[in-house]
Amino acid sequence: MIIKSSRISRGRTKALSSYFSSKGDNQSVCWRYGGVSDIAWMALPAQITGQVFQVRHVIIAPEMELSMTDLAAATKAVCDEYGVSHLARGQVCIVEHAKATDGQVKAIPHFHLLLPEYDMGRERVMDSRFTHMRDEKLSRMLELRFEHPSRAGQFNKEVYSGLQEEFPGLCLIPFQQALKQMSVEAGLSARDWLSFRAKAPAPAKSWMARRKDAKTMALLEVVNGLHMPRFL
C-alpha cells in the first residue's frame, strides 16, 4: 500500500477541483464523500487566515481492494496521525479512482482524501512534520491490519520502532519477514534486515505536469500544422 500526502497551495486549489471534476484517464470515478464544491469550502478558512496552503491531499493506493469498512479505518488512521479535529473530519472528501493497468482484468481502486489544511476545530494549520516517514508508517500499519502484502520503504527502522511504540498489539512478523527477504535479495545479510532501505523510485510526474505536457504537445501539433512544408 502506498500513502502519500501533499499540501495544495492557493494557486493550485482550482486546478485540483478541475481535476476531480472530470474522469481524466481513469477507468471510473466515484465520489464516496463530498463533492467538487466542497473543495472550495474547505479551502475558505485558509484563505481567510492568509495561509499559503489550503487543502491536504492524501492518496491511498492499496495493492488489494479495500472494503468500505477498510476505507473508513484508513481515513481514520490518517486523521488520527495528523491530529485532525472532529470538525475538520466532517469536511473530508473522498474520491475513488480506478485506473486499469496492463494485464489487469479489473482495476484496483485507489482513493484521494481531501482535508482542510487550516483546521478550524484546532484553529491552526494541520501538522506537516516528517510526512514521508509518517505516511510510510501508516502504509505498513494498514498492510498488517488488513493482512495485505507487507512492503519495505525508505524509513524501515524508524517505521518499525514507531509501530512497536504506537501499536503494541500489532503483529509485525510479516513486516520482519518481508524486510529479511528483501535484504537477502539486495545482497545483504538477513541479520541486517532492519537496516534495509528500498531504493526510492524515480518521481512520477504529477497530474498537473502531465496536463501541461499534453497542452504543450497539442500546441506543437498546431504550430507544426501551420508550418508544414509546401511540397508536402
Side-chain angles (χ1 to χ4, degrees):
M1 178 181 295
I2 295 173
I3 293 180
K4 184 178 180 180
S5 59
S6 59
R7 308 170 79 192
I8 307 301
S9 64
R10 56 180 172 234
R12 296 168 58 208
T13 302
K14 286 185 178 179
L16 185 75
S17 299
S18 298
Y19 173 69
F20 288 117
S21 297
S22 63
K23 185 177 179 180
D25 56 356
N26 294 289
Q27 193 178 58
S28 64
V29 176
C30 177
W31 280 83
R32 292 296 179 182
Y33 296 97
V36 175
S37 61
D38 293 317
I39 298 176
W41 283 107
M42 73 169 63
L44 190 58
Q47 294 175 14
I48 293 173
T49 55
Q51 306 298 324
V52 173
F53 299 100
Q54 298 184 342
V55 177
R56 184 68 59 95
H57 177 207
V58 183
I59 298 173
I60 299 177
E63 293 188 40
M64 298 172 65
E65 195 164 348
L66 296 182
S67 67
M68 288 301 98
T69 301
D70 291 343
L71 177 59
T75 302
K76 182 179 184 300
V78 170
C79 291
D80 289 346
E81 176 64 34
Y82 289 101
V84 180
S85 71
H86 290 293
L87 180 62
R89 292 183 195 214
Q91 295 179 281
V92 66
C93 291
I94 303 178
V95 189
E96 176 185 313
H97 279 172
K99 187 177 296 183
T101 58
D102 293 341
Q104 279 188 329
V105 177
K106 181 182 178 183
I108 296 175
H110 64 274
F111 302 89
H112 298 266
L113 272 59
L114 305 173
L115 290 158
E117 185 66 24
Y118 187 85
D119 191 331
M120 290 290 287
R122 299 189 183 278
E123 297 184 353
R124 61 176 175 82
V125 174
M126 192 186 300
D127 188 8
S128 61
R129 296 170 297 172
F130 309 110
T131 53
H132 295 302
M133 189 184 301
R134 293 164 77 179
D135 288 346
E136 196 172 296
K137 179 186 68 178
L138 287 170
S139 299
R140 302 292 85 80
M141 184 274 287
L142 292 171
E143 286 169 354
L144 293 167
R145 181 178 291 180
F146 298 155
E147 298 183 352
H148 289 193
S150 193
R151 297 288 178 254
Q154 293 292 296
F155 304 100
N156 298 308
K157 189 173 184 178
E158 296 85 353
V159 166
Y160 189 86
S161 177
L163 292 175
Q164 280 185 314
E165 181 179 347
E166 298 173 36
F167 306 95
L170 189 66
C171 178
L172 302 180
I173 293 176
F175 186 29
Q176 294 175 9
Q177 292 174 337
L179 290 178
K180 288 179 180 179
Q181 180 181 346
M182 292 177 189
S183 296
V184 172
E185 291 175 356
L188 304 174
S189 169
R191 292 175 295 180
D192 297 328
W193 61 273
L194 199 53
S195 301
F196 176 76
R197 294 172 69 93
K199 290 184 179 179
K205 283 191 175 183
S206 68
W207 56 270
M208 286 186 178
R210 285 188 278 111
R211 188 174 67 172
K212 184 177 180 180
D213 288 346
K215 287 183 177 179
T216 301
M217 290 301 297
L219 180 61
L220 285 173
E221 287 179 4
V222 172
V223 171
N224 291 335
L226 293 174
H227 294 83
M228 291 177 64
R230 292 181 181 276
F231 60 86
L232 294 177

